[in-house]
Amino acid sequence: MNQIRQNNCEYVRPNITIEVISVINNCTEKVYYVYNYKGTSFRLFSSKKHLKGFFDNLLFEDHHFEKEEELDLYLNQLNLS
């Protein structure tokens, strides 16, 4: 099971955030970006480039979740190798 650490949280608007998180397993750590839209849509990005592409309407998210519990479950079971 992975450990998840929030590194930063930026507010786009009062109920829309971009969270920078680290997913850690043993000696491996990867950074991800979560676009949280009003707590009803969670879009996961594996890089700043993918996040920027989403805002520029050039790319889609790596994964999309409708519930925070689904996102947490995915991140806890994510294979980092």
Side-chain angles (χ1 to χ4, degrees):
M1 185 171 250
N2 298 327
Q3 181 182 20
I4 301 167
R5 180 181 68 221
Q6 183 182 48
N7 300 328
N8 192 16
C9 182
E10 304 251 346
Y11 283 83
V12 178
R13 287 186 282 201
N15 54 0
I16 300 173
T17 62
I18 297 173
E19 299 175 45
V20 181
I21 60 170
S22 291
V23 179
I24 306 157
N25 190 336
N26 297 326
C27 296
T28 306
E29 179 175 347
K30 291 190 179 181
V31 174
Y32 292 90
Y33 302 84
V34 178
Y35 176 74
N36 177 349
Y37 181 79
K38 299 182 179 182
T40 61
S41 175
F42 302 88
R43 297 175 187 271
L44 182 66
F45 300 90
S46 59
S47 69
K48 276 187 179 180
K49 180 181 177 181
H50 288 187
L51 178 63
K52 183 179 179 333
F54 173 76
F55 284 108
D56 293 341
N57 292 318
L58 300 175
L59 297 172
F60 293 101
E61 69 278 345
D62 296 322
H63 297 279
H64 180 234
F65 305 92
E66 294 181 2
K67 295 181 181 180
E68 190 171 13
E69 294 82 12
E70 294 171 349
L71 170 64
D72 290 343
L73 182 63
Y74 176 81
L75 291 173
N76 276 315
Q77 297 177 353
L78 186 63
N79 185 354
L80 300 180
S81 30

